[in-house]
Amino acid sequence: VLPVSFGGELPVASIGGACRISAMGALTVAFYQNLRTSSDYVKWGPVPGVSVRCGHFQPSVIAVLSPSNQLVAAVVASVTLRF
């Protein structure tokens, strides 16, 4: 798998003076090489998300969308410590 993403973060609202809510979005392209089936293919799509930054802590949640009838393929959460 060889993924490449390009995205951004847009401030949406403030909570008090210390916290900020932001909408995140990225376009991800990934190249897959499946040796078991001898096939190579490329998948791409949007990756929306939201983050809340309070001081040095920035938890983020993103949703990996699915092209099938199931809307969301995965939900990923992370926490970034900013210094």
Side-chain angles (χ1 to χ4, degrees):
V1 177
L2 178 63
V4 176
S5 293
F6 178 76
E9 184 176 330
L10 180 67
V12 176
S14 293
I15 303 172
C19 297
R20 169 177 102 184
I21 299 174
S22 298
M24 301 181 323
L27 177 64
T28 300
V29 178
F31 170 77
Y32 295 88
Q33 184 178 36
N34 190 333
L35 299 176
R36 185 174 46 96
T37 60
S38 298
S39 63
D40 299 338
Y41 51 95
V42 174
K43 288 188 174 184
W44 65 276
V47 181
V50 65
S51 71
V52 178
R53 183 180 300 171
C54 292
H56 293 293
F57 296 96
Q58 183 176 353
S60 302
V61 177
I62 62 170
V64 179
L65 304 178
S66 175
S68 66
N69 59 357
Q70 178 184 353
L71 180 62
V72 177
V75 175
V76 180
S78 67
V79 175
T80 303
L81 299 174
R82 301 173 63 98
F83 294 100

